Amino acid sequence: MRNNSSSSVDMFEVVAPRILTTVQDLGRFGYQRYGVPVAGAMDSFAAKVANILAGNAENSACLEMTIMGPTLKVINQCNIAITGADLSPTLNGERIDTWATRPVKKGDVISFSGAQGGCRGYLAVSGGIEVPSVLASRSTYVRGGFGGYGGRAVRKGDVLRGKFSEPRTRIRYVPREYIPNYTSPATIRVVLGPQDDFFTENGIKTFLNSTYEVTPDSDRMGYRLSGRAIEHSKEPEIVSDGVAVGAIQVPGDRMPIVLMKDAGTTGGYPKIAHVISPDLDQVAQLTPGDSLRFKRIEIREAHEIVYQVMKRLDRLKEDIREADLAP
């Protein structure tokens, strides 16, 4: 009997989960007022492109892999796409390309030998990974224990489900000019505020003219940085107020913290600036020991950058190329 393209089937068995592999879509929006973090893919551009290559809606659920991707055994044939950091993917021991699709069949083994650049990779499967939707999202929020695959990172023996899809006879790939360069030191554009008045003029200059290093205490909740101390002009605490993903807090130790996708929804430290959303993807690809510098821009320029990124993604969809599958 022929499989129906809309049927749900077992897709992968997790042979080895490695460091941190979770199911993510683009995030859980509209619930921050209730204390629910956004979660979602740390590098939204890479996650979107993985889904586009796989023929999915941009917000489909995919796997986010950290530094050392998992080992997966294919249960049913499907088409996969891998983007983001180069985690050295292999299929049955043979190196395969990133930012490209690849058909896989029953019994194949997908594995990763470690990051060659960047921190987080994304694996999308045609039809998307099927997990229950919780508060209008399939993203995993590990600290809260909900969303994704049972509210946790995947473990050995887990079986991921998806939709049957006919294997492609040609690969699809992204032209090189669209592939981000995950370099360090990174230049990260920010808009000052809303509590930049809690810092001295010298503190602002220090923030904008120093190089900071990502510390090992960084994770999906926030990136803690080390470097030159940022001088406060007032007490380093405020009455807790709402925080957004990308906010940069400076607590009493005078070291900046960039809030990431799993950050809480309120905070009591003054926020010196916000990372613009396209550059948050670049922050997400930094690993401990990598460095970054902050560059101030105005809000109008930030809006224009976001608009240009959206246009670039539209062009990418039109420029995706195809090639014969290598024998």
Side-chain angles (χ1 to χ4, degrees), residues 113-221:
S113 59
Q116 300 299 310
C119 179
R120 292 176 171 85
Y122 294 86
L123 187 153
V125 58
S126 295
I129 292 174
E130 291 203 348
V131 292
S133 178
V134 179
L135 299 178
S137 172
R138 290 176 170 80
S139 285
T140 310
Y141 177 48
V142 173
R143 280 184 170 82
F146 62 85
Y149 193 101
R152 59 171 173 80
V154 300
R155 299 172 185 162
K156 181 178 180 179
D158 287 346
V159 174
L160 302 171
R161 293 182 65 79
K163 287 186 172 66
F164 173 87
S165 58
E166 292 285 355
R168 291 183 178 274
T169 57
R170 309 189 81 203
I171 64 169
R172 304 174 77 219
Y173 65 95
V174 174
R176 185 171 297 276
E177 60 263 29
Y178 291 100
I179 300 175
N181 186 10
Y182 303 127
T183 57
S184 171
T187 298
I188 304 301
R189 293 164 292 190
V190 300
V191 175
L192 290 184
Q195 285 109 19
D196 49 309
D197 59 319
F198 271 67
F199 303 90
T200 65
E201 182 179 347
N202 186 60
I204 298 290
K205 287 181 179 178
T206 297
F207 171 70
L208 294 173
N209 292 285
S210 301
T211 298
Y212 290 92
E213 185 174 294
V214 178
T215 73
D217 294 327
S218 301
D219 57 19
R220 282 184 50 91
M221 186 172 183

Side-chain angles (χ1 to χ4, degrees), residues 5-24:
S5 61
S6 63
S7 61
S8 177
V9 296
D10 292 345
M11 196 64 67
F12 305 114
E13 177 189 353
V14 180
V15 177
R18 300 298 177 89
I19 295 177
L20 179 69
T21 300
T22 57
V23 176
Q24 302 290 347

Side-chain angles (χ1 to χ4, degrees), residues 33-93:
R33 56 182 167 168
Y34 304 116
V36 180
V38 172
M42 291 275 277
D43 182 343
S44 61
F45 178 80
K48 288 177 183 178
V49 176
N51 277 313
I52 291 167
L53 284 168
N56 301 335
E58 293 175 14
N59 194 34
S60 298
C62 61
L63 288 182
E64 179 179 272
M65 309 169 291
T66 310
I67 300 177
M68 182 72 74
T71 299
L72 306 171
K73 185 174 182 179
V74 179
I75 300 173
N76 273 290
Q77 66 182 35
C78 58
N79 299 290
I80 63 170
I82 300 171
T83 63
D86 182 358
L87 305 186
S88 306
T90 63
L91 181 63
N92 302 324

